[in-house]
Amino acid sequence: MFFNKKIFSKILFIAAVIMVWAACSKSKTTSPPVPPDTKNTVTYTESTEDFANPERGFYKFTETKASAYTALIQSQLVLWRGLTTANGGNYQVYSTIVYRNFIMDIFKNAPLSAAFLQSVKNDFDIARAAGVKLIPRFVYTTTVTSGSCPEQFICTPYGDAPKTIVLQHLAQLKPVLTDAADVIAVVQMGLIGMWGENYYTDYFGDASQNGQGKLLDNNWLDRNEVITALLDAVPKDRMIQVRFPQIKQRFVYGVNAAVNALAITESEAFSASDKARIGFHNDCFLAGTDDYGTYMDYGNSSTPRQPANTVLRNFTKADSKYVAVGGETCDDAYSPQNDCEPAGMAETEMAAYHYSYLNCAYNNAVNNDWQTNGCMLNIRKKLGYRFVLKEFVYPKEITAGSSMAFTLTVNNIGYASPFNERPVKLILKNKTNGQEVQYTLSTDIRKWFSGTAKIETAIATGTSLTAGVYDMYLFMPDKYSSIAAKPEYAIRLANTDLWDAVTGYNKLQATVTVK
């Protein structure tokens, strides 16, 4: 067979050219073009300023007796929202929450009067008008009688009320508390014993040296009955607080519950269940190794009273992430442990137990040291939540009726997250005609825990959204319509140049074009 090398070489050359052309052609037709930049990213500057925010911080203390009722004063509450000096303190605070001690001294053996109930209602109305929320506690006695008893500084009778009276009063208070749900931050249990602290009591088991030294099964059952009635009287979307963590354990798991009972989990939290609605008020914060019996096992009919400091602290650390926590200091003897770091552990403890508030009136022998030693400003800013907006990523333009996806990165540098539900809203405001449209985001602000939260979400804009350029805002108002429009009840971000004090909006310094 004849073989022509020249012809064969030409055929190979032509084939190679065809292959190169095909490869180039395929590359050009399958590689997508580089898409244009369709998103904007805004980063924000953190503010070091201390300022008022709802349901957190140092509270102002108030109390009144039923026998000589003194109403709250609106102008005083408004003043406290600003920067004022703590009572007996060397420091100043913003107070958006006010503790209200209702001493029902003349009703220990009688139903509450209509006049008293109206006075309580009036106090809540005054708080609403002033732009603050209350932490109510209902008690029967705060007057200590000393003598030659084992405890000496306090002797029986203590002066609280029997269970039948307590339950009757809670039923009477329920309509008042229901009506005041919007301006209740959290309700402290109170009701039992001296100061309502559930310890020195004539009727519910005296665990002190003056009495039986521990609590029996029937004492726990009686206390649990009061907690059940209190949870029923308080609006379902509000928490109560108990004085000792074991009180919650013995209510949730029964009178035989061990001190290593399980804390609430994130899946159980914020569910409006009884377990999810019980937080803690420690009225001897950093007062000693076990905070004066706060972390004590008070026993039952078959077990003794005994120390349980480590295990109950571990329970409370875990549980407190999801419930309301506050209280007050009570004794400066536990120094330097109750001082600023590094000598003490004040901020470490507040962060570990997720404190949202503290009393600025007691005990300032402790609190004043925080000011003197340089950590008070940090505590003022970090009690509860403090949200620093880090980044906002959003589309440059959208079409009306389409879904607008965006990402917010928020750093909570506070000790806790908000414990009450509230909406988070994105507001679009037309730059030309001022039209505002609000969209509620699919996020639970109570789960913006300490640390960084990345909120990746989207809103359905609706076809009625008119074309134009819109400024964007983040708005975190109260959930109740009665106060939702009041800027005093909206959350302010800890960033520079974002807060609008007139509306309660946080400017995102961003615009989006709607086509």
Side-chain angles (χ1 to χ4, degrees):
M1 181 178 180
F2 178 77
F3 183 76
N4 192 320
K5 292 183 177 180
K6 290 184 177 180
I7 295 175
F8 183 73
S9 297
K10 289 181 179 179
I11 292 172
L12 287 176
F13 176 76
I14 293 170
V17 171
I18 291 172
M19 289 176 65
V20 172
W21 175 85
C24 292
S25 176
K26 183 176 181 182
S27 175
K28 289 179 181 177
T29 57
T30 58
S31 297
V34 177
D37 185 7
T38 60
K39 293 184 177 181
N40 279 334
T41 300
V42 182
T43 57
Y44 302 91
T45 302
E46 179 179 344
S47 170
T48 59
E49 181 185 355
D50 181 28
F51 49 81
N53 249 335
E55 300 178 333
R56 57 152 304 277
F58 279 95
Y59 71 66
K60 293 287 187 176
F61 177 92
T62 66
E63 69 177 9
T64 186
K65 289 186 175 181
S67 57
Y69 203 98
T70 303
L72 291 172
I73 301 172
Q74 181 178 336
S75 60
Q76 179 69 74
L77 303 186
V78 172
L79 181 67
W80 285 344
R81 276 190 50 83
L83 195 61
T84 60
T85 300
N87 186 17
N90 60 5
Y91 58 97
Q92 293 183 307
V93 294
Y94 295 93
S95 296
T96 65
I97 45 178
V98 174
Y99 173 91
R100 189 60 166 159
N101 208 29
F102 296 99
I103 306 171
M104 303 180 292
D105 56 337
I106 57 175
F107 298 117
K108 297 174 186 178
N109 292 291
L112 300 175
S113 67
F116 174 78
L117 292 169
Q118 184 61 49
S119 295
V120 175
K121 180 184 183 303
N122 291 345
D123 274 347
F124 284 116
D125 292 340
I126 291 166
R128 186 180 298 107
V132 302
K133 294 202 176 190
L134 299 186
I135 302 172
R137 186 197 294 187
F138 296 91
V139 307
Y140 294 96
T141 178
T142 59
T143 303
V144 174
T145 302
S146 61
S148 57
C149 61
E151 295 269 340
Q152 294 187 352
F153 88 98
I154 183 170
C155 297
T156 58
Y158 302 117
D160 56 341
K163 183 178 71 174
T164 53
I165 291 292
V166 174
L167 297 179
Q168 180 185 39
H169 289 171
L170 285 174
Q172 289 183 276
L173 286 166
K174 181 176 180 177
V176 177
L177 297 175
T178 299
D179 182 64
D182 57 341
V183 287
I184 290 174
V186 62
V187 178
Q188 294 187 355
M189 181 178 172
L191 300 165
I192 296 173
M194 180 66 63
W195 310 293
E197 288 198 35
N198 285 245
Y199 190 69
Y200 297 105
T201 170
D202 297 324
Y203 299 98
F204 292 88
D206 186 358
S208 77
Q209 296 179 69
N210 294 334
Q212 61 205 29
K214 69 172 188 174
L215 298 179
L216 305 176
D217 289 358
N218 64 297
N219 303 142
W220 287 113
L221 290 171
D222 286 343
R223 290 161 183 255
N224 287 351
E225 196 172 344
V226 171
I227 294 175
T228 298
L230 180 62
L231 287 168
D232 180 64
V234 172
K236 297 298 182 185
D237 61 351
R238 288 296 177 261
M239 295 184 187
I240 69 168
Q241 292 175 312
V242 295
R243 177 64 184 86
F244 312 116
Q246 193 178 40
I247 294 175
K248 178 171 183 175
Q249 290 179 330
R250 291 279 163 93
F251 174 77
V252 172
Y253 298 111
V255 298
N256 293 309
V259 290
N260 62 353
L262 295 176
I264 193 171
T265 63
E266 186 168 339
S267 63
E268 296 172 310
F270 313 124
S271 62
S273 68
D274 288 349
K275 186 178 184 180
R277 293 179 61 204
I278 302 175
F280 310 101
H281 66 94
N282 181 353
D283 289 353
C284 271
F285 176 62
L286 284 174
T289 54
D290 73 345
D291 287 354
Y292 282 11
T294 297
Y295 303 104
M296 174 69 69
D297 177 359
Y298 288 97
N300 58 22
S301 294
S302 57
T303 62
R305 170 177 173 156
Q306 56 193 327
N309 190 45
T310 299
V311 68
L312 281 174
R313 281 183 176 276
N314 289 338
F315 167 82
T316 310
K317 285 178 183 178
D319 207 82
S320 62
K321 182 177 180 179
Y322 308 107
V323 295
V325 180
E328 63 186 13
T329 57
C330 77
D331 193 334
D332 199 23
Y334 196 49
S335 181
Q337 291 92 331
N338 62 14
D339 295 332
C340 301
E341 283 76 0
M345 54 184 180
E347 288 196 77
T348 302
E349 291 280 287
M350 291 177 204
Y353 295 91
H354 307 96
Y355 273 77
S356 284
Y357 69 80
L358 286 171
N359 187 359
C360 74
Y362 193 81
N363 183 319
N364 274 324
V366 179
N367 299 8
N368 285 343
D369 288 345
W370 299 339
Q371 175 70 19
T372 302
N373 296 328
C375 65
M376 176 55 83
L377 180 58
N378 215 34
I379 293 170
R380 281 167 43 182
K381 292 189 292 186
K382 290 189 174 184
L383 277 171
Y385 59 87
R386 184 175 174 88
F387 296 132
V388 179
L389 184 59
K390 305 298 290 184
E391 185 179 81
F392 180 39
V393 181
Y394 63 96
K396 289 182 176 180
E397 60 181 42
I398 58 173
T399 303
S402 66
S403 176
M404 174 181 167
F406 56 91
T407 301
L408 289 161
T409 302
V410 181
N411 188 18
N412 181 3
I413 61 174
Y415 304 135
S417 61
F419 51 82
N420 283 328
E421 178 187 4
R422 67 172 55 230
V424 179
K425 299 187 177 188
L426 181 72
I427 294 180
L428 303 186
K429 183 176 181 180
N430 192 298
K431 291 178 72 70
T432 301
N433 59 24
Q435 174 197 11
E436 288 188 13
V437 186
Q438 296 189 9
Y439 302 94
T440 301
L441 307 188
S442 179
T443 184
D444 190 340
I445 200 168
R446 296 170 296 183
K447 294 185 178 181
W448 293 12
F449 304 119
S450 301
T452 300
K454 196 169 188 177
I455 300 96
E456 297 176 303
T457 187
I459 57 171
T461 58
T463 55
S464 62
L465 188 65
T466 57
V469 178
Y470 288 78
D471 288 317
M472 290 186 281
Y473 304 84
L474 196 65
F475 185 36
M476 295 165 281
D478 198 272
K479 64 172 282 188
Y480 280 92
S481 59
S482 55
I483 56 177
K486 292 189 173 185
E488 299 95 322
Y489 293 106
I491 288 180
R492 175 180 175 179
L493 294 171
N495 295 91
T496 59
D497 303 322
L498 300 191
W499 178 243
D500 185 337
V502 176
T503 61
Y505 297 173
N506 295 277
K507 294 173 278 188
L508 290 174
Q509 298 177 341
T511 62
V512 63
T513 300
V514 177
K515 291 188 172 182

